[in-house]
Amino acid sequence: MKSGPLLFLGVFATLAVSWTSMVLAPQLQIGRMGPKPMATGALYPAARPGLAEQGREVYRQNGCAYCH
Amino acid sequence: MSASSPATLQTSSPSGSVELSFATPAEVDRSCRAPVTLLFLCSALWLIIGLLMAMISSAQMHAPGMFANAESLTFGRMRPAASNALIYGFALQAGWAMALWMIARLGRVPLAGGGVIILATLFWNFGVKLGVAGILGGDSTGFELLEMPRYAAPILFLAYSAIGVCGIVTLHARRERSLYFSHWLLFAALLWFPWIYSTAELLLIYFPVRGVFQTAINLWFANNLIELCLGPMGLAAVFYFIPKLIGRPLYSVQVAAIAFWTLLFFGSLGGLYAGLPLPKWMTTVSILATVLLLVPLAAMAFNLKQTTAGVERGLCKCNLPLRFICAGTVFYFIAELLRVAGSLRSVNEVTRLTLFNPGVAALELYGFFLMVALGAFYYIQPRICDTNWASEKAIRFHFGATLLGVVLAAIPLLIGGVIQGFRIRNPSADFPSIARGLVPFIGLSTVGLTILALAQLRFLFSFAGLLRRCCCGGVASEASLKSEKSKGGQR
């Protein structure tokens, strides 16, 4: 194979399949879902109250997810 | 490869354009001297820092009280700091050093934009420092392999863009017009990294996507970074050095082409595993793609086997870079086969959230990439510095210690992970006793990482010695290399 542009097109197309199927298509399928009201009238999923939101940030920053 | 052709013989064609003939290897090496040496040096320093942090975080898994009073040194911050330092600090920089040198050598053209690469490398290292310090300081983003805070990401992206562009420009300016297997792999790696990095950063950290989809993108990024950025850079070195050092051409370009396109296609789709809370088609496609990685693996194994058929066994004993590269290749195939096996649903049910996956990752990073990068480095560095290694015994020691370290760091995790998986599946299992039962395996892994860290420290001294001889001792000609020892400490 001597042609640089041909290599570029081939690599681009092959990798674009992955990007389209794993990133773009799911985003179109489930990525734009928002909170919806349930039968009781409350939204699901509900946003976390302030302290729980802070707790989530602490959990994220201190790497708790690696074990828990 | 060692034939010298006239340096810059310029002939003008009737159209008036000037044609340059091939640059000599010495010219190419001279153009690579500063940028590639800087990349290798920085990657070696990050390797040591990353290994020390990995060693501490591994020790903290069986001695949880270690550094528990210091917020920055707790396991939850040490572990991501270690993995980011190793991937972004060591692996990517070593990969680009190899990539730039190979592109220049294969194209028989001097490296383009040496000064830009040096600046970009310094910028990249500043970004990694900022990122790792941010993680230790508590700004971790919580996403696997993307833990560096948002203020570090643009620095990394811009620095890489400069390096990547220089690589592509060198590729475009090649005088030897043929594109080899290593070229294709390096081109794919150079193109894919900014794509996946920008996608993941934008969709996870800057404009986060909704809920469960974050997991999908995170896993997609992590898989593509390891399999399709680090993997091809390492494989390019394998398929460049093995034929070169044994003096034979690659057996079949067609088989290499099959391996390349299937590796790209299937490798980029993998990463998700069974049981994730994602649409079933996503995990199924991922598992299928990972299993079909057997096709490029078989193609590459066949190609290597045919290329090395009939070569005397003793070659690996004498040629030290070849020894590193061969060991790395073997580890690559073992790690990939384990990865394929681990993705099958029946196996994945046992190994899913156990030590098995860190074990495979350790095999890939230390066994494959570190070994191949070291082999390439031991070949490249003396040539771009025009100075030889002081002690062959030190290199042999380095190989032995690294091999021992890799085996101890990875194999216990793999075995422990499988045992852990089987024990956890028992409904009447007592979780604390399972965790205590893993201590010997994790302990062995810590010992392995310690041996690795010490071996690389010793190696850094050899590297520093070479650089000192290169900078202070002046450029030694090929003929005077033999009398170097008699010159002693002459400056």
Side-chain angles (χ1 to χ4, degrees):
Chain A
M1 202 194 312
K2 281 203 180 194
S3 169
L6 206 62
L7 175 67
F8 168 75
L9 279 172
V11 168
F12 184 87
T14 312
L15 297 174
V17 168
S18 163
W19 184 83
T20 312
S21 58
M22 287 289 170
V23 177
L24 186 63
Q27 171 67 2
L28 296 173
Q29 185 178 4
I30 60 171
R32 291 177 301 183
M33 295 192 298
K36 289 278 188 299
M38 296 192 299
T40 54
L43 281 178
Y44 182 84
R48 286 187 175 79
L51 205 60
E53 181 65 38
Q54 288 174 12
R56 185 176 76 155
E57 287 308 308
V58 170
Y59 191 95
R60 180 208 293 260
Q61 287 162 0
N62 286 292
C64 304
Y66 295 109
C67 296
H68 306 285
Chain B
M1 282 286 180
S2 58
S4 56
S5 48
T8 48
L9 185 69
Q10 298 188 351
T11 56
S12 49
S13 64
S15 63
S17 64
V18 175
E19 285 175 10
L20 298 166
S21 69
F22 300 158
T24 60
E27 282 184 333
V28 173
D29 291 340
R30 218 171 299 135
S31 70
C32 290
R33 181 179 289 175
V36 173
T37 305
L38 184 64
L39 277 166
F40 271 136
L41 182 64
C42 294
S43 75
L45 290 169
W46 278 114
L47 175 65
I48 309 249
I49 295 172
L51 278 173
L52 285 172
M53 290 199 282
M55 188 181 87
I56 294 175
S57 70
S58 185
Q60 283 171 327
M61 284 185 80
H62 52 82
M66 196 180 187
F67 300 135
N69 291 330
E71 211 173 67
S72 299
L73 302 177
T74 50
F75 174 77
R77 296 191 191 181
M78 200 50 104
R79 191 181 174 293
S83 66
N84 277 270
L86 284 168
I87 300 286
Y88 293 92
F90 155 64
L92 283 174
Q93 289 197 94
W96 295 332
M98 295 192 293
L100 292 171
W101 183 85
M102 278 192 277
I103 290 176
R105 268 289 192 112
L106 280 169
R108 309 213 195 191
V109 65
L111 186 64
V116 173
I117 296 174
I118 293 174
L119 271 173
T121 306
L122 294 170
F123 210 41
W124 173 271
N125 281 283
F126 171 67
V128 178
K129 261 184 274 189
L130 197 62
V132 170
I135 295 173
L136 291 173
D139 286 336
S140 166
T141 63
F143 292 110
E144 182 97 41
L145 289 184
L146 281 165
E147 289 96 346
M148 290 208 246
R150 59 194 297 165
Y151 43 78
I155 302 175
L156 295 180
F157 187 77
L158 284 169
Y160 170 73
S161 304
I163 296 176
V165 163
C166 289
I168 302 295
V169 165
T170 311
L171 184 65
H172 182 68
R174 68 190 185 283
R175 297 176 194 170
E176 161 70 71
R177 296 309 293 178
S178 300
L179 286 172
Y180 299 98
F181 186 33
S182 298
H183 271 129
W184 317 337
L185 289 164
L186 292 172
F187 183 75
L190 289 178
L191 180 67
W192 199 214
F193 176 70
W195 195 338
I196 57 172
Y197 190 66
S198 55
T199 303
E201 283 284 330
L202 287 171
L203 292 182
L204 289 177
I205 293 164
Y206 285 90
F207 310 106
V209 289
R210 295 235 174 247
V212 105
F213 191 36
Q214 291 178 0
T215 312
I217 296 197
N218 193 3
L219 289 169
W220 172 83
F221 170 78
N223 174 68
N224 275 287
L225 182 64
I226 305 293
E227 295 290 310
L228 276 200
C229 287
L230 295 184
M233 288 198 279
L235 287 172
V238 167
F239 282 93
Y240 175 81
F241 283 109
I242 288 187
K244 187 186 180 70
L245 294 174
I246 65 175
R248 297 239 198 118
L250 191 64
Y251 175 72
S252 163
V253 177
Q254 286 78 14
V255 174
I258 294 173
F260 176 67
W261 295 112
T262 49
L263 177 70
L264 241 57
F265 187 72
F266 296 132
S268 60
L269 288 171
L272 306 178
Y273 48 86
L276 282 171
L278 288 169
K280 198 142 191 209
W281 68 264
M282 289 182 77
T283 53
T284 309
V285 163
S286 233
I287 295 171
L288 194 64
T290 310
V291 171
L292 284 171
L293 275 179
L294 287 173
V295 174
L297 286 175
M300 287 191 283
F302 173 74
N303 223 344
L304 282 172
K305 183 172 172 305
Q306 295 299 105
T307 306
T308 58
V311 172
E312 45 166 304
R313 289 268 161 204
L315 210 57
C316 257
K317 282 207 182 356
C318 323
N319 195 327
L320 290 169
L322 186 62
R323 201 192 270 195
F324 275 98
I325 305 257
C326 288
T329 314
V330 170
F331 279 123
Y332 176 73
F333 284 107
I334 297 175
E336 291 302 302
L337 286 172
L338 284 172
R339 187 178 273 266
V340 168
S343 72
L344 296 167
R345 277 182 207 272
S346 49
V347 178
N348 193 256
E349 273 173 9
V350 175
T351 64
R352 189 174 305 165
L353 294 165
T354 63
L355 293 173
F356 184 81
N357 297 311
V360 174
L363 213 53
E364 282 172 342
L365 184 62
Y366 307 127
F368 163 58
F369 197 82
L370 174 61
M371 283 281 194
V372 169
L374 285 173
F377 170 78
Y378 274 121
Y379 184 88
I380 296 173
Q381 192 61 40
R383 279 161 184 78
I384 58 179
C385 267
D386 217 358
T387 320
N388 220 339
W389 294 107
S391 160
E392 203 181 273
K393 231 169 64 170
I395 307 179
R396 284 179 199 278
F397 167 77
H398 187 203
F399 176 77
T402 305
L403 185 63
L404 179 65
V406 166
V407 167
L408 279 180
I411 309 290
L413 289 180
L414 295 169
I415 301 174
V418 173
I419 293 177
Q420 179 188 13
F422 278 121
R423 279 201 194 151
I424 285 179
R425 296 188 59 175
N426 183 358
S428 59
D430 173 31
F431 201 78
S433 73
I434 297 177
R436 266 195 298 276
L438 288 175
V439 167
F441 298 104
I442 304 176
L444 272 176
S445 181
T446 311
V447 170
L449 286 171
T450 314
I451 295 175
L452 269 178
L454 291 172
Q456 309 321 312
L457 257 174
R458 172 69 188 82
F459 151 72
L460 194 65
F461 284 124
S462 309
F463 189 7
L466 181 87
L467 284 180
R468 193 177 52 82
R469 284 199 307 282
C470 173
C471 300
C472 306
V475 174
S477 66
E478 282 292 317
S480 70
L481 278 175
K482 284 180 191 166
S483 59
E484 176 154 333
K485 279 190 182 155
S486 64
K487 283 183 185 171
Q490 193 176 26
R491 289 191 151 231

